[in-house]
Structures are given as C-alpha cells and as structure tokens.
Amino acid sequence: MGFDGLVVVSDPYLQRRFTQTDLRALQAQYAALRDASPTGRLRLRDLPAAISGLRADAEKENSAPDPPPPGPGLTDEEWASVLKAVARADERPHQDASFELFLRVYAEMQLRLKAGKKPGGGGGITRSSSSSAAAFLTAATTTLLHTISESEKASYVGHINAYLAEDPFLKDGLPIDPATDHLFHITKDGVLLCKLINLAVPGTIDERAINTKKVLNLWEKNENHTLCLNSAKAIGCTVVNIGTQDLAEGRPHLVLGLISQIIKIQLLADVNLKSTPQLVELVEDSKEMEELMSLSPEKILLRWMNFQLKKGGFQRTVTNFSSDIKDSEAYACLLNVLAPECSAKPSAMSVKDLLHRARLILEHADRMGCKRYLTPKDIVDGLPNLNLAFVAHIFQKRNGLSKQMKQVSFVDGLSDDAQVSREERSFRLWINSLGISSYINNVFEDLRNGWVLLEVIDKIAPGSVNWKMANRPPIKLPFRKVENCNQVLKIGKELKFSLVNIAGNDIVQGNKKLILAFLWQLMRYNILQLLRNLRFHSNGKEITDNDILAWANKKVKESGKHNSRMESFKDRSLSRGTFFLNLLSAVEPRVVNWSLVTKGEKDEEKQMNASYIISVARKLGCSIFLLPEDILEVNQKMMLTLTASIMYWYLKRPTSYSLDSENGSLCETSSTSTSDDSASESSIDENGAR
C-alpha cells in the first residue's frame, strides 16, 4: 500500500542516499528555487549558485536536509567537476534540471565537502560510485545526523506518564521507561499521539474516530496517523515535512518534535488575554495592548516573567529561556515573588555552585506543587524547550496576577463575537499550515504590515508578488506598511477578488471585517485553484461553488441516499450532520461507523454528529480548520471549505475526472494516471490517505 506524501525517485542510489524526510524537504527546496527564478526555470548550469545559496541558508538556520559541514564551499572549478561527474550524456547545461538531477548534484556536493574531494579526485555519483562514496553510503550516518535530547525525551515521557496514566486504552502500555526507546514504539499506532492532542486542546478529536483495536492493520494505523497530523495542524502545530510513514516508522526526531509542539501548546494554553484576562496588568496603554495582542505565547510568558521579576527588584531583563536563566538567579527571584511561603534555607542565592542552586530552585517549585519538566543540569545547560515548559507550568499553577480586573478603557475592544473569533482562528491555522516562513499568533495584528499577506499570496499564486517592491519586517514607518498592503490589494484585484471600499490603510489599521473578508477570498481562491489544477480537469474550465455543490449532491445520490441533499451551503438542514456523513461514506464507505451516528434532531445529537464529521474528515485525509459550532450554525464559508476538502481528497485518488459541460457536474472516467500537482497543496491535504 502507499502513503500520501511519498516522494518516489527512480535512481536506486538516490533511494538509498536520502530518507523520505530528506526527499520531502529537498523537493520543497527545489520547487522554491524553480519558482524564485525570473524565468520560472531551473537549469543545470544554475544549480551551483542555487545550491550554494541553500547551503548558506542552512549554516544560518541549521534547517536544510543533511547540512554540509560549515566552512568554505566549492570553488568554480570544483563545481564544474561536480556537474561533469553527475550529468549524463543527454543532459546539457542549458536544459531544465529535473528533481533527480538536482538531488544528484546536491549529494555530490555533500560528498566533496565531507570527504575533502578535489577536482579529478573521483568519479562522482555515477553508476560506478567511487570507494569513498560507497563507504559513505554504508556507514552508520548514511542519512540525516538527527540527534534527540535525552533530557527532553525524559521530560515528555514524564508528562505523558502523568497525564495519560488513567487512559483506558493506554494504561497497559504506561508508564513508559524514558531510558529506552519505548516511546517511539508505543506511538507507532497513532493512538497515543491522538490522545495527547486531545489533552492539549480538549475536543479536537472525537475519540470515537480513533482506531483503538488491540491489533491494528497497516491501513488502520495509517488512518490514525492521518487523523493525528491533520488534527495537529488544526491546533497550531507545524507538521511540514512530517508524513504518516514517518510516524509509522517511529522516527525519533520527528516523533519527539511533534510531541514537543503538542505539549508546548497544552502548557501555553492559558498564556493569552482571552484565557487569562488578568494579563492586562502587564500593559499601561492602548499601544502596549496592541503589542501584547500580537505577541506569541512564549513572548507573553517572558513579559509576564519580567513583570514579576520587577516586583522582586531583579535588575536584569530576561530575554530568553536559555542563557538568561542558566544561573538560576531569575528563577530564585520569581519563585520568591510568587510563593515566598514555600522558600527554605539555605536560600538559592546563598549557594554559589550553579547545580546546587538549580536543585534548590526545583525543590522550591516542588513545594509549590509544580511539575519539574527539567533537571538541575537542564537549567545550567540552558535547554530552552524544557525551561519554557517549566515556566509555563509555574504560570499555570500561580501567575501572581490580580483577580481584580484592571478597569481600563482600552480593554473594551477585546471581546469579539463568537463567529469573528472562530473565523480568525480558522484563517490563522490555515495560514500557519501553508509552510510560509512567518508564524502568526493573531490575524488582526500580525497581518497589518502586509508582509505575511504577501507571503500567503506568493504561496497560493506563485510569481504574483513583486518582492523588489515589498518592505520586509521590521517596518517602523507606517507608509511602508501601506505600500505592502497596497500591493496585496493590487494582486487581489488581478485575482478577481471583490475589493469594494477597501484600501491598504484599512489592513494597516486592523479593520477586522475587511481583513476577514479578504482572507476568505484568499482561502476560497486557494481551494478552487487546487481543484482546478488536478489533472481530471478538461479545457481549463474554472471550478465554481456550484460545481462543488453539484458534485457533493451527485456523490450522495449515487451512493443510494436519494433523500439526502443540500440546496446550498446555507442549507439549515446541514446542522443535523447527516448529509456530510453520507458524503464521507459515499467517497469512502468504510470510514463512517454508522452505529455512532445520531438522527441529528436534538441539539446534543447535532453536536455529536458535528464533532464526528470533523474527525472522520481528518482521518480520511482532509486538512480542515472548522469547529463543530461552524456546522451547528451552518457557517456558509466553512461548509464550502469542508465540502471542497472532501472533494479534493476524493479527486486526488489515482483516477481522472472531467467536467460535464452540460450540467456543471464532475464525471468520473477510467484512467490510471495520478496527480502530482503540488502548488500550495499543504493547505488542503498534506497527509491524507489514499
């Protein structure tokens, strides 16, 4: 069986040389380089400069697959030798470079840098590879040299053991021994990860949709992993370059990275103004309020920490969860401010040895009832993830903020109506799922400089942004922000968006209604383009909302449910949930367990159906960001995106379709072709099963 996200290469050398994680990351880099080219082409002669740029970025960010060793790169003569070594007889410098040719050049560059090869010193990665290349392939480090932190693993294992110990399905496998690799084996069926997501954001996954038999087959495990990854995206995790196969194999660095994100979301859940309105104490005026609303939870936590430290007379400002707290001085002050009654002798600051001091800090936290999440050595070593977890847990236990809300005028605008809040959430999660370089925490604040919107547009409509005219953050001058937003609207008009009575300054000013309206048009454009780009489409005809509606009704009718139909995406009967369950069953009969479905007549029954629909759709492979309330209230926009996501998953299967020009419906035709279209694909379906 196959798994979505698999990157297939024909060259056996490349199959051995790169893992699937490497291939997905490099495929994204290859596409980005090609799109960035002024001609939209990437030629063999362009590869040295392009790959050298990737290497430079890797040294800055340490994020490229299998990064080469730091230091000087290859000379022009060495690059010429690389191209000569890897290019086949029919591959010319002016010809377009295929993805596999790109991989061969990238791999040979790494070999030259690691082995210190000079021109003429070897035959490159041809069919008869040199002895050093063969040795490299058979060594223990043939793939990425990913390391995991044993301290982080032990901390996350402790968290899982503490919070999931009573789970009926998992209790036989818990506690996990942090000294072994049991964590990476117990996650291979996907159940623990799904449960962990629900722990972080309760209700994200309807647990009735999780496959929880004692023995699961490969398909059932893959469904769980697909449900896990799409649900992780729906709570704000970044899962770019993580596929279902990676979880099935229990790849340690990827599993631990995902667990780290999920636990972080759980621990930071209350570090925002909505959950903890007392955070208003940290600001003095409306300008500071705007700044606070745009900060990430980590930055808010730092700001809270410094607010408390100031009370204790601490002289320094803590700017990170690493080097600034290695000496435990900030911790000593923080805990004395929050819980002076839990202090003991000797005091932490009376001890000079840093490990001893850190041990006293953790003992103080124990007396407060805080979980440790780290060891004294982790504090001294400045491990940022574990220190962040520790401070977040202290905030959960005792934040030291006044229970009496500060009565200030600029707080009045904080409360949004429920629908605005849900739409902001959906668009925020959708944007963060696209894999752009920026991560947003608040749509209304983070989009105001126009830069993120330009990144989103460039992702869903490649080549439409004039980056030479764009102003990169940080942007202090307001008119520079307006310039970015004006370009955003200019492109929107070119994409035929409805932009009546909206100007660039409206976005800069944070006009919520206009920002949401623009984002909806971006999301809708993305969905329709993804559907249009599938190879089932004939004659380049545009997909419309009516086509999606007609397709859904046709599929349900063909499944034998003649009385189940939606008249529009505003049809109030959709709140019952039965139509979408019929649609899901029509595209994949085995995915719906009908014994769990209610008639959807009472409010409680509707709620149960809505929750089940979302989890079943994600389990199928749909990347969606709506909430059960959107179905219950029949939010027209979310009904369209849900239907379109199911349609996209169905049409991506290895069968082609054509558009019936007479009635606008989509007709299935017999074909063995598959779609490899990938532009902005992550926004709808990155991890869906096939």
Side-chain angles (χ1 to χ4, degrees):
M1 66 178 291
F3 296 94
D4 192 45
L6 189 68
V7 180
V8 180
V9 290
S10 59
D11 190 327
Y13 170 83
L14 297 175
Q15 293 171 7
R16 298 190 304 270
R17 174 64 183 84
F18 296 108
T19 66
Q20 275 297 307
T21 305
D22 300 344
L23 289 172
R24 282 194 295 273
L26 287 166
Q27 189 179 58
Q29 298 276 26
Y30 170 77
L33 290 171
R34 187 183 56 200
D35 293 342
S37 170
T39 62
R41 300 172 60 194
L42 190 62
R43 294 168 294 189
L44 176 59
R45 67 188 183 194
D46 300 328
L47 291 180
I51 293 177
S52 295
L54 286 183
R55 181 172 181 268
D57 291 341
E59 288 184 11
K60 290 178 184 176
E61 302 177 14
N62 194 26
S63 60
D66 202 2
L74 300 181
T75 64
D76 291 344
E77 292 78 8
E78 289 171 327
W79 271 117
S81 175
V82 167
L83 297 185
K84 184 177 179 180
V86 303
R88 293 170 180 149
D90 59 343
E91 292 172 332
R92 304 297 183 202
H94 64 279
Q95 292 179 335
D96 288 356
S98 67
F99 178 52
E100 290 202 14
L101 178 55
F102 169 80
L103 290 177
R104 299 204 307 271
V105 173
Y106 189 90
E108 178 65 8
M109 175 202 68
Q110 291 178 315
L111 291 178
R112 298 290 178 105
L113 290 169
K114 289 179 179 179
K117 268 186 177 291
K118 296 300 177 184
I125 55 171
T126 59
R127 291 288 182 242
S128 55
S129 298
S130 66
S131 58
S132 67
F136 180 78
L137 288 173
T138 55
T141 56
T142 56
T143 59
L144 292 169
L145 298 177
H146 291 294
T147 58
I148 62 172
S149 164
E150 289 297 325
S151 291
E152 287 195 25
K153 185 178 79 170
S155 178
Y156 302 149
V157 163
H159 182 94
I160 291 168
N161 287 340
Y163 282 96
L164 293 176
E166 301 303 317
D167 185 272
F169 183 83
L170 297 173
K171 63 182 180 182
D172 291 342
L174 299 179
I176 301 169
D177 183 356
T180 69
D181 285 337
H182 182 46
L183 173 65
F184 308 118
H185 293 287
I186 198 174
T187 55
K188 285 184 178 180
D189 63 9
V191 178
L192 185 144
L193 293 172
C194 287
K195 300 273 189 176
L196 201 58
I197 287 171
N198 263 1
L199 191 62
V201 183
T204 299
I205 297 175
D206 187 325
E207 297 201 1
R208 297 175 298 170
I210 305 173
N211 297 321
T212 55
K213 294 188 307 185
K214 287 296 181 184
V215 179
L216 300 177
N217 60 37
L218 288 176
W219 179 264
E220 291 166 332
K221 290 179 182 178
N222 187 56
E223 284 185 326
N224 282 349
H225 293 139
T226 304
L227 174 60
C228 164
L229 289 176
N230 282 318
S231 300
K233 281 194 287 187
I235 66 170
C237 293
T238 301
V239 297
V240 177
N241 297 327
I242 304 177
T244 55
Q245 187 66 12
D246 297 315
L247 300 183
E249 293 173 359
R251 293 178 64 82
H253 66 287
L254 294 175
V255 171
L256 202 65
L258 181 58
I259 289 173
S260 172
Q261 290 187 74
I262 297 169
I263 292 176
K264 179 178 169 184
I265 287 170
Q266 178 188 348
L267 293 175
L268 294 174
D270 293 332
V271 189
N272 58 75
L273 281 163
K274 185 175 181 181
S275 300
T276 310
Q278 293 85 1
L279 283 167
V280 73
E281 276 194 60
L282 308 187
V283 302
E284 294 297 334
D285 53 39
S286 58
K287 185 176 181 180
E288 287 190 7
M289 174 62 75
E290 288 180 5
E291 181 186 350
L292 186 68
M293 290 175 64
S294 68
L295 293 178
S296 66
E298 298 94 316
K299 296 291 187 184
I300 294 177
L301 198 62
L302 280 172
R303 188 156 180 166
W304 164 81
M305 188 175 182
N306 283 308
F307 175 79
Q308 300 296 351
L309 291 175
K310 188 176 180 181
K311 289 182 183 178
F314 196 69
Q315 298 299 312
R316 289 186 285 128
T317 299
V318 175
T319 61
N320 58 62
F321 293 106
S322 181
S323 58
D324 285 0
I325 48 183
K326 283 183 175 183
D327 59 11
S328 296
E329 290 182 5
Y331 278 146
C333 180
L334 178 66
L335 297 185
N336 282 329
V337 168
L338 297 176
E341 76 280 5
C342 295
S343 59
K345 293 185 178 181
S347 67
M349 291 310 298
S350 68
V351 175
K352 292 186 177 180
D353 180 76
L354 294 185
L355 275 174
H356 188 191
R357 184 186 296 172
R359 191 175 301 111
L360 293 175
I361 292 297
L362 295 180
E363 290 173 0
H364 191 160
D366 285 342
R367 292 189 289 273
M368 291 172 61
C370 295
K371 289 183 173 60
R372 289 201 171 191
Y373 286 101
L374 75 178
T375 66
K377 186 175 185 302
D378 297 332
I379 294 178
V380 175
D381 289 345
L383 296 186
N385 284 346
L386 298 188
N387 278 295
L388 170 64
F390 181 52
V391 176
H393 192 65
I394 293 172
F395 180 90
Q396 282 185 344
K397 281 291 181 180
R398 192 177 301 194
N399 60 39
L401 299 173
S402 173
K403 293 181 181 179
Q404 296 292 324
M405 271 288 290
K406 196 174 182 181
Q407 296 300 314
V408 285
S409 59
F410 53 83
V411 183
D412 296 340
L414 283 179
S415 57
D416 289 322
D417 66 64
Q419 184 167 332
V420 167
S421 181
R422 287 203 307 272
E423 288 193 9
E424 186 277 335
R425 171 194 172 277
S426 295
F427 293 135
R428 169 168 39 87
L429 294 170
W430 169 66
I431 290 171
N432 287 335
S433 77
L434 292 174
I436 63 174
S437 60
S438 302
Y439 188 93
I440 66 170
N441 298 289
N442 183 299
V443 160
F444 304 124
E445 295 299 323
D446 295 348
L447 302 188
R448 289 170 61 174
N449 63 18
W451 180 264
V452 175
L453 284 171
L454 290 173
E455 286 189 288
V456 173
I457 291 171
D458 190 57
K459 186 72 174 180
I460 67 175
S464 58
V465 176
N466 182 351
W467 289 111
K468 293 181 180 178
M469 300 296 293
N471 301 295
R472 179 184 292 273
I475 307 172
K476 295 184 178 180
L477 298 175
F479 78 91
R480 295 295 186 192
K481 299 177 183 179
V482 174
E483 287 177 349
N484 280 354
C485 293
N486 284 341
Q487 184 179 177
V488 165
L489 297 180
K490 177 176 178 291
I491 299 169
K493 291 175 183 176
E494 293 169 358
L495 298 178
K496 297 182 172 55
F497 289 1
S498 175
L499 298 173
V500 180
N501 297 326
I502 179 171
N505 195 51
D506 292 318
I507 299 175
V508 175
Q509 295 300 318
N511 186 307
K512 294 181 179 181
K513 182 180 179 180
L514 295 178
I515 289 174
L516 290 178
F518 186 81
L519 287 176
W520 164 240
Q521 293 186 81
L522 275 180
M523 180 186 273
R524 180 177 174 277
Y525 175 85
N526 184 212
I527 295 167
L528 298 182
Q529 285 301 109
L530 289 172
L531 288 169
R532 182 180 182 275
N533 289 342
L534 290 175
R535 291 181 177 175
F536 70 86
H537 215 285
S538 62
N539 303 322
K541 185 177 183 297
E542 295 291 338
I543 287 280
T544 66
D545 296 3
N546 285 335
D547 291 328
I548 298 170
L549 183 71
W551 172 85
N553 283 324
K554 184 172 182 285
K555 292 308 299 179
V556 171
K557 185 177 180 180
E558 288 176 348
S559 72
K561 302 293 176 65
H562 297 281
N563 295 324
S564 184
R565 176 181 177 81
M566 67 170 163
E567 298 301 325
S568 71
F569 295 112
K570 297 186 289 185
D571 189 334
R572 298 303 304 174
S573 69
L574 294 177
S575 66
R576 296 173 56 193
T578 50
F579 178 83
F580 286 118
L581 289 165
N582 286 332
L583 178 59
L584 289 163
S585 180
V587 299
E588 178 51 72
R590 62 181 295 282
V591 78
V592 176
N593 182 346
W594 286 102
S595 67
L596 302 175
V597 177
T598 72
K599 293 181 180 179
E601 294 175 349
K602 300 177 181 177
D603 289 346
E604 184 180 353
E605 292 177 340
K606 291 178 180 180
Q607 176 74 37
M608 291 176 67
N609 282 353
S611 175
Y612 190 55
I613 287 165
I614 293 171
S615 289
V616 169
R618 287 175 180 154
K619 179 179 178 178
L620 191 67
C622 301
S623 182
I624 50 178
F625 304 100
L626 73 165
L627 291 170
E629 290 80 3
D630 293 313
I631 297 176
L632 298 176
E633 297 175 14
V634 192
N635 182 318
Q636 181 182 1
K637 299 171 184 176
M638 296 301 115
M639 296 304 93
L640 172 60
T641 59
L642 174 59
T643 310
S645 297
I646 297 170
M647 180 181 179
Y648 180 72
W649 175 86
Y650 180 75
L651 298 179
K652 271 189 65 181
R653 302 181 315 159
T655 312
S656 67
Y657 296 77
S658 60
L659 195 65
D660 185 334
S661 59
E662 301 220 355
N663 58 24
S665 63
L666 294 158
C667 304
E668 184 172 344
T669 61
S670 176
S671 173
T672 57
S673 66
T674 59
S675 169
D676 62 359
D677 300 281
S678 59
S680 299
E681 191 167 303
S682 62
S683 64
I684 293 291
D685 177 14
E686 191 168 75
N687 306 297
R690 285 182 182 164

